[in-house]
Amino acid sequence: MAAPNLSHDPLEPLPLIEGTHTDQTINDSLLSHVLRGAGKGWWMLFGCALSMLGLLVIAISWTLYKGIGAWGNNIPVGWAFGIINFVWWIGIGHAGTLISAILLLFQQKWRTSINRFAEAMTLFAVICALLFPLLHTGRPWFAAYWLMPYPSVQRIWPQFKSPLTWDVFAVSTYFTISLLFWFLGLVPDLAALRESTKSKTKRFIYGLFAMGWRGSGRHWAEYKWAYLLLAGLSTPLVLSVHTIVSFDFATSVIPGWHTTIFPPYFVAGAVFSGFAMVMTWMIPARHFLGLKHVVTMKHLENMNKIMLVTGMLVGYGYLMEHFIAWYSGNPYEMGQFFLTRWHGPMRWIFRTMMFCNVVVPQMFWSKRLRTSIPVMWVAAILINIGMWCERFNIVVTSLHRDFLPSSWKDYSPTWVDLSLFIGTIGLFSTLFLLFLKFVPAVAVTEVKELRHELAEHDAVAGETHA
Amino acid sequence: MSAGHEDSGFVARRFVVAEFATPEALLAGTRKVREGGYKDVDTHTPIPIHGLEAALGLGRPKIPAIVLCGAIAGICIAYSMIYFCNVIDFPINIGNRPMHSPPANIPITFELAVLLAGGSSFFGFFTLAGLPKPYHPIFESEQFGRAAIDAFFLSVELPVGANADKALGDVRAAGATSAELVYESER
């Protein structure tokens, strides 16, 4: 258990890199987890992840064999786990882009140690997310003609006025751009790996992916621009993706969906849940991979502050939904928010959401709590749960009580739904563990650059003091 | 290793590879070597170094213009695709709504603009850099691997017939801590 960092002078900023380092020691310490063999703990986690992945394979096969009748959703709850999990996973991905792109544009130096980690999370979360709408089409290979515009013999084009079609473009663009951004940032690190490894096979493989990078000044000149522009492009992209996801709901007339606050509220919720997921993985990873000197308490504290802010934005969203329901004077809207959500059959999910998303982050006002590792880890997990409950409320609770009581129907998921959900957690964990084993989890080149910047800064500060 | 094989017609490219102690020394050394009249000068560093573009005498970066072209292409392709599908190829009248409805076209137009702009940034960079390039003569240097880890290198490609000893001396005079001559290998 880490002691709360209160002995520290609050006016002195906490260090971004702890200890004294050279480029060589940074290189060695950040690459060591890739270069050494997998430990027992890694294999145990990987085994768990693989067994959950097996469950995913079974659930997908059963869905494809039986059709989506194997899932629990049925009219009026036409959307359920498929869409809940899609929105949840996409949201988790957003922290990666926020850290890597938006914090880069704002020149937040602390992003450097966590961006690679969070970007990888984005990629894997989007892969998990994409599975759900694809499977929800029932027969994905027949769905292609209304998802992507290609000249088929039917001469039919996608419905370009539908947010669902916008979603296809938004999410596939998001995945592609995130992948390119991640790989571009990785190239100099792969070159560092190529030169650091002693194994011939590893040298060949990392050399292949490093594309023959030789740190040329001519390359760096263009590289810096390519990287910056990808960051600049990712910033509006990440905002647009969850905005478009929220349009799937907001453009309909269902009470609980028909709200103009959805786009900003979805984006805030996405960042909130994404940071919670980064914390969930970062806290154990920095311990086991030996990254404590670059992922310091300052990084964790900053992430907790962002969770506090985005948590309050989400709380404001909840408040506004209730206010507008009342202000509209529409009995269906009021019924949805004041009766169904708080007192309906799904009330426990709603109350869990309120507790996890609104109450839990408030403890980050306290310096003692926001610098305590066990507290922040438990809070991050609660927030993950809370954000899943939020999507459940939006999707299922809104649908199961709409306008006419005669069309009301309760919802419960089947074993296939649950297995698909658990299975995607397995898929995510499998991919993430492989990432931690084969790719540097921290952007080594950027940390070296940061070290030089900090050293220069210290030198200048030393001169002015003297 | 010899400088050239008369029989195969292969003439090995020659590079002077020199190490500098600090980024500042590399910057100053690069300027000096270029002032000494050497044309094909390049630096090899583990991190981007502020001011190297000027020291190497590079012009404006080309990536921004390429990305702008990508974005404009994305906008044009997306908008004209939607227009073609909805208005020209298969117009469907639903409730007398307009065939061409600009607000509904914005999201896809934006996404495709980002996709092509981002793609041109990525592929534009690799094309400009001439990567992937698995072999480069400079990798022949034993020391050079450290340019990806913690060392700062300068390389000068010597024109055919140039005096290698003079070049080595000039680079050392510019502040290099060590300098060696490497030859491209024939394969």
Side-chain angles (χ1 to χ4, degrees):
Chain A
M1 177 149 175
N5 202 343
L6 290 176
S7 56
H8 183 84
D9 177 1
L11 293 178
E12 269 300 299
L14 289 165
L16 287 173
I17 302 174
E18 278 177 0
T20 324
H21 290 277
T22 63
D23 286 347
Q24 177 77 51
T25 59
I26 285 183
N27 193 74
D28 293 348
S29 60
L30 298 187
L31 295 181
S32 71
H33 71 87
V34 181
L35 297 177
R36 66 170 183 245
K40 242 186 206 163
W42 187 87
W43 279 111
M44 264 163 61
L45 284 174
F46 193 64
C48 292
L50 273 188
S51 56
M52 288 204 284
L53 185 63
L55 197 61
L56 181 70
V57 173
I58 294 170
I60 290 179
S61 312
W62 189 251
T63 304
L64 294 181
Y65 174 67
K66 286 297 257 192
I68 48 168
W71 295 4
N73 41 337
N74 208 340
I75 301 304
V77 186
W79 279 1
F81 263 49
I83 306 299
I84 297 168
N85 298 335
F86 165 70
V87 180
W88 190 68
W89 278 119
I90 284 277
I92 284 168
H94 278 32
T97 321
L98 185 106
I99 291 171
S100 57
I102 299 183
L103 296 185
L104 176 76
L105 296 183
F106 286 152
Q107 304 197 326
Q108 291 297 308
K109 291 190 166 62
W110 61 276
R111 76 177 262 290
T112 304
S113 310
I114 50 173
N115 65 339
R116 177 69 33 78
F117 193 90
E119 283 163 27
M121 197 168 267
T122 298
L123 290 178
F124 307 145
V126 175
I127 291 172
C128 293
L130 277 171
L131 267 179
F132 286 101
L134 274 181
L135 289 171
H136 207 173
T137 64
R139 299 278 181 269
W141 51 96
F142 290 141
Y145 76 90
W146 55 262
L147 294 176
M148 278 292 167
Y150 73 98
S152 72
V153 286
Q154 305 175 82
R155 272 190 75 211
I156 289 176
W157 300 108
Q159 170 54 286
F160 289 114
K161 295 185 181 80
S162 160
L164 297 176
T165 307
W166 304 346
D167 237 8
V168 175
F169 282 84
V171 177
S172 49
T173 299
Y174 185 47
F175 180 74
T176 316
I177 295 296
S178 303
L179 183 67
L180 298 183
F181 191 37
W182 183 72
F183 184 72
L184 191 64
L186 204 54
V187 167
D189 290 1
L190 291 170
L193 259 175
R194 175 190 70 201
E195 302 302 340
S196 301
T197 179
K198 293 193 175 58
S199 137
K200 270 217 158 138
T201 328
K202 279 186 182 171
R203 189 181 157 81
F204 176 77
I205 293 169
Y206 287 125
L208 202 65
F209 283 102
M211 320 278 266
W213 177 261
R214 50 185 194 276
S216 157
R218 290 160 200 278
H219 296 172
W220 277 123
E222 300 286 355
Y223 177 94
K224 283 195 285 192
W225 274 97
Y227 196 68
L228 188 68
L229 286 172
L230 269 172
L233 289 164
S234 304
T235 303
L237 178 65
V238 70
L239 300 182
S240 82
V241 171
H242 233 55
T243 298
I244 290 174
V245 169
S246 82
F247 284 165
D248 294 346
F249 303 95
T251 54
S252 76
V253 294
I254 300 289
W257 288 10
H258 189 51
T259 342
T260 50
I261 201 167
F262 261 21
Y265 154 59
F266 264 55
V267 172
V271 173
F272 184 48
S273 67
F275 268 84
M277 193 57 116
V278 172
M279 286 299 256
T280 310
W281 280 84
M282 184 54 102
I283 290 168
R286 76 193 268 275
H287 179 77
F288 290 111
L289 303 182
L291 302 176
K292 282 185 181 171
H293 58 303
V294 290
V295 184
T296 64
M297 187 51 83
K298 174 161 177 157
H299 295 95
L300 301 178
E301 201 186 336
N302 280 353
M303 285 197 269
N304 287 336
K305 285 179 185 167
I306 290 193
M307 280 200 272
L308 176 59
V309 172
T310 48
M312 290 204 296
L313 288 174
V314 169
Y316 174 79
Y318 300 154
L319 190 70
M320 258 313 124
E321 279 185 318
H322 285 74
F323 172 74
I324 294 294
W326 168 78
Y327 192 64
S328 71
N330 180 326
Y332 301 107
E333 289 280 339
M334 284 194 276
Q336 174 63 229
F337 283 99
F338 294 102
L339 288 175
T340 310
R341 296 256 166 127
W342 284 97
H343 306 290
M346 310 286 185
R347 63 185 174 280
W348 287 111
I349 296 201
F350 180 77
R351 291 174 188 185
T352 309
M353 166 194 103
M354 277 293 183
F355 174 74
C356 294
N357 293 355
V358 181
V359 180
V360 168
Q362 299 310 318
M363 66 188 178
F364 290 144
W365 287 105
S366 149
K367 173 118 184 162
R368 177 178 285 278
L369 294 175
R370 103 177 152 245
T371 50
S372 156
I373 301 250
V375 168
M376 63 176 100
W377 197 64
V378 171
I381 288 175
L382 285 177
I383 291 168
N384 283 324
I385 295 171
M387 285 309 293
W388 190 88
C389 292
E390 181 196 299
R391 276 62 183 256
F392 186 95
N393 272 305
I394 292 170
V395 177
V396 174
T397 314
S398 303
L399 284 174
H400 90 303
R401 296 280 182 276
D402 57 358
F403 298 98
L404 287 176
S406 61
S407 67
W408 291 0
K409 194 162 166 262
D410 285 346
Y411 167 79
S412 59
T414 62
W415 70 268
V416 186
D417 284 309
L418 294 169
S419 311
L420 273 176
F421 179 49
I422 297 167
T424 47
I425 295 177
L427 174 64
F428 182 84
S429 313
T430 308
L431 292 171
F432 207 76
L433 287 165
L434 289 173
F435 159 75
L436 291 179
K437 197 63 246 151
F438 292 108
V439 181
V442 173
V444 188
T445 304
E446 289 179 42
V447 173
K448 285 180 198 164
E449 205 183 335
L450 177 69
R451 192 194 72 83
H452 279 269
E453 271 177 39
L454 295 175
E456 267 173 40
H457 182 264
D458 284 353
V460 172
E463 277 168 24
T464 39
H465 277 295
Chain B
M1 205 185 293
S2 71
H5 299 270
E6 302 298 322
D7 44 331
S8 66
F10 169 81
V11 179
R13 296 163 71 195
R14 296 177 302 160
F15 287 79
V16 168
V17 180
E19 188 182 343
F20 286 75
T22 61
E24 293 76 27
L26 178 66
L27 274 177
T30 308
R31 272 194 218 100
K32 253 194 179 162
V33 170
R34 281 192 60 243
E35 279 161 11
Y38 295 96
K39 292 261 156 29
D40 293 317
V41 180
D42 203 349
T43 54
H44 304 272
T45 53
I47 56 170
I49 288 164
H50 193 69
L52 257 184
E53 294 92 334
L56 283 169
L58 303 179
R60 285 164 62 99
K62 297 184 187 69
I63 287 283
I66 295 175
V67 172
L68 181 66
C69 294
I72 293 171
I75 292 170
C76 297
I77 291 171
Y79 209 96
S80 54
M81 172 188 75
I82 301 171
Y83 189 87
F84 170 78
C85 295
N86 281 357
V87 182
I88 298 169
D89 191 56
F90 208 111
I92 308 174
N93 186 339
I94 302 166
N96 217 17
R97 286 183 179 83
M99 300 298 173
H100 174 222
S101 167
N105 298 351
I106 299 298
I108 292 180
T109 307
F110 172 78
E111 298 301 337
L112 228 64
V114 170
L115 182 67
L116 294 200
S120 45
S121 178
F122 183 85
F123 293 105
F125 165 70
F126 282 109
T127 312
L128 285 176
L131 298 176
K133 189 181 178 78
Y135 176 75
H136 190 277
I138 200 165
F139 287 118
E140 298 287 342
S141 161
E142 289 287 317
Q143 292 301 312
F144 182 72
R146 285 182 28 249
I149 299 174
D150 66 343
F152 304 92
F153 281 92
L154 177 81
S155 71
V156 184
E157 181 170 4
L158 298 179
V160 180
N163 183 348
D165 289 334
K166 180 180 176 299
L168 283 168
D170 285 348
V171 169
R172 284 203 186 92
T177 52
S178 70
E180 62 174 316
L181 189 66
V182 295
Y183 296 91
E184 181 177 21
S185 76
E186 186 180 9
R187 52 183 75 197

